[in-house]
Amino acid sequence: MQENITQEELKRYEELQIMALEFARRGKTKELESMLDAGLEVNLSDHKGNSLLMLASYNGNLETTKMLISKNAVVDRKNDKGQTPLAGVCFKGYFDIVKALVDAGANIHENNGMGTTPLMFASMFGHSDIVKYLNQKDSRKSFKSKLYLAFSKFIALFRKRD
């Protein structure tokens, strides 16, 4: 049985989705949680494939990130560019959010395009604390992982001079 939905109802639903995406982006945890509790999809994405979790984590909103994880958001869901939330926070350097995502099962070896991984992003942008943490969580413990740590420390030296 299909319900007849009016154009006005569709427009209002679209507005609510936009509000939810903005709440995730701005860290409006309570407001977003109310929407999810009312039935909004926790894995809602914007027109670029960025999920609520991607938007919350990439913008440094730890509390919102944790709430979305507790609501079973898919932690390795990729956007249209093939990037995961973990890769985004490794790029940005949000260590506490990295920990929350990894604790929730995010894949530290996930390919984020052209073979790049979250570990590589943390290394390229000099976030040696994140690289060290990911190396500790890495069951593979490869030589490449040790190389990324050394590289990230080298990059960090240049970042401190700026």
Side-chain angles (χ1 to χ4, degrees):
M1 183 169 165
Q2 185 176 1
E3 293 183 37
N4 291 328
I5 299 173
T6 67
Q7 287 299 322
E8 186 176 311
E9 290 170 327
L10 283 174
K11 185 177 183 198
R12 181 62 183 145
Y13 184 63
E14 184 178 307
E15 290 169 357
L16 289 170
Q17 290 176 337
I18 291 168
M19 285 174 56
L21 294 164
E22 195 59 28
F23 287 160
R25 208 176 270 114
R26 294 182 184 266
K28 303 276 188 182
T29 307
K30 299 263 186 257
E31 295 88 338
L32 181 57
E33 187 171 26
S34 293
M35 295 178 86
L36 295 171
D37 289 344
L40 190 71
E41 169 58 42
V42 71
N43 292 306
L44 175 71
S45 299
D46 67 11
H47 65 284
K48 295 179 181 177
N50 295 309
S51 66
L52 294 170
L53 182 60
M54 173 73 86
L55 295 170
S57 61
Y58 189 81
N59 286 286
N61 302 313
L62 178 61
E63 184 182 341
T64 308
T65 298
K66 287 181 174 180
M67 181 274 294
L68 290 165
I69 289 169
S70 77
K71 301 274 186 190
N72 298 316
V74 177
V75 293
D76 284 327
R77 184 173 178 153
K78 295 181 180 184
N79 64 14
D80 294 349
K81 291 182 179 179
Q83 301 160 331
T84 63
L86 183 58
V89 296
C90 285
F91 162 73
K92 297 285 273 197
Y94 299 141
F95 188 54
D96 288 338
I97 299 176
V98 167
K99 286 195 238 181
L101 291 169
V102 171
D103 287 347
N107 182 355
I108 65 174
H109 298 289
E110 187 65 38
N111 182 343
N112 282 261
M114 298 188 301
T116 57
T117 65
L119 183 61
M120 290 173 75
F121 281 115
S123 179
M124 287 188 293
F125 293 96
H127 303 300
S128 53
D129 54 341
I130 294 173
V131 175
K132 186 176 179 180
Y133 172 78
L134 293 176
N135 276 335
Q136 290 170 347
K137 294 292 185 176
D138 185 3
S139 60
R140 298 178 191 175
K141 305 272 192 241
S142 69
F143 172 75
K144 195 171 14 173
S145 295
K146 292 175 186 164
L147 188 62
Y148 288 140
L149 180 58
F151 183 69
S152 69
K153 288 179 179 179
F154 178 73
I155 296 294
L157 291 173
F158 290 98
R159 290 185 68 188
K160 290 179 182 175
R161 292 183 185 172
D162 294 339

